[in-house]
Amino acid sequence: MILVITGTQKFQFDRLLREVDDLIDRGVIQEEVFAQTGSSQYVPQNFKDQAYLSKEELLSYMKQSDIIITHGGTASILDAVRMGKKVIAVPRLKKYKEHVDDHQIEIIRQFSRDGIIEGVNNVREIEKALTNIKQKKYAAYISGKDEVISELRKILQII
């Protein structure tokens, strides 16, 4: 199964949903698809969707999925890679009124550089990303949280 995540902010991500529908129409995607569509206005024709899911429901869909196509939200990406899922991330862009700025470009670029996800800049690149993701092995995500906490504890002991 492929899970599509558009996020829960007040912005639509119709462009992503349309592209997934088109990929299904053309037979590129043959797997079952489910999408969390958020504030998007586009109504999918070829897959099931729900606007909002509880955290538990979303995590359940993630567990059932082989591939996750998501917006560039850090939480969505991290939840997926922590589960060992293959992730294609697409940035929401300001010029399409999908977000207030283009910060998701940099988030996706960094995760891609680290070899953790398959990042794309444009929805039209999803088709190629689907081919890549099935052949490629990705690095595991390793949090630096414990090291940061350890350093902060050292600093606090000095003070």
Side-chain angles (χ1 to χ4, degrees):
M1 180 167 88
I2 295 175
L3 174 64
V4 178
I5 304 171
T6 66
T8 57
Q9 296 216 351
K10 64 182 180 180
F11 306 101
Q12 55 78 25
F13 205 3
D14 294 339
R15 188 167 67 91
L16 174 60
L17 299 171
R18 278 190 189 96
E19 182 65 18
V20 172
D21 241 353
D22 182 60
L23 291 169
I24 294 169
D25 267 344
R26 293 189 292 120
V28 174
I29 294 177
Q30 296 181 357
E31 299 94 322
E32 176 186 358
V33 174
F34 180 83
Q36 174 275 316
T37 57
S39 296
S40 299
Q41 301 300 308
Y42 180 77
V43 178
Q45 302 301 302
N46 297 304
F47 56 93
K48 294 180 183 176
D49 69 286
Q50 187 171 327
Y52 297 99
L53 302 167
S54 69
K55 185 69 171 182
E56 294 77 23
E57 290 172 317
L58 182 60
L59 292 174
S60 176
Y61 276 106
M62 286 179 147
K63 287 176 188 169
Q64 296 172 53
S65 301
D66 300 310
I67 296 171
I68 296 172
I69 302 173
T70 185
H71 66 113
T74 306
S76 296
I77 293 171
L78 288 177
D79 284 346
V81 297
R82 284 179 181 139
M83 286 186 189
K85 302 300 178 176
K86 292 189 173 193
V87 176
I88 297 170
V90 185
R92 292 171 165 275
L93 299 175
K94 180 181 179 180
K95 71 180 179 182
Y96 298 117
K97 298 184 169 107
E98 296 165 346
H99 220 304
V100 296
D101 60 28
D102 291 334
H103 70 278
Q104 289 191 355
I105 293 171
E106 189 54 40
I107 291 169
I108 291 170
R109 185 178 296 139
Q110 188 58 54
F111 279 113
S112 293
R113 275 189 207 135
D114 292 344
I116 296 169
I117 66 166
E118 188 74 22
V120 300
N121 294 314
N122 185 301
V123 294
R124 297 286 182 213
E125 298 171 4
I126 294 172
E127 182 175 355
K128 183 176 181 187
L130 284 165
T131 300
N132 291 346
I133 208 164
K134 291 174 183 174
Q135 300 169 358
K136 198 170 171 184
K137 184 166 172 70
Y138 294 85
Y141 170 74
I142 300 169
S143 171
K145 179 180 77 174
D146 293 337
E147 289 138 15
V148 171
I149 290 171
S150 175
E151 290 301 314
L152 286 173
R153 283 188 176 134
K154 289 176 189 175
I155 292 169
L156 290 173
Q157 288 175 355
I158 295 171
I159 298 176

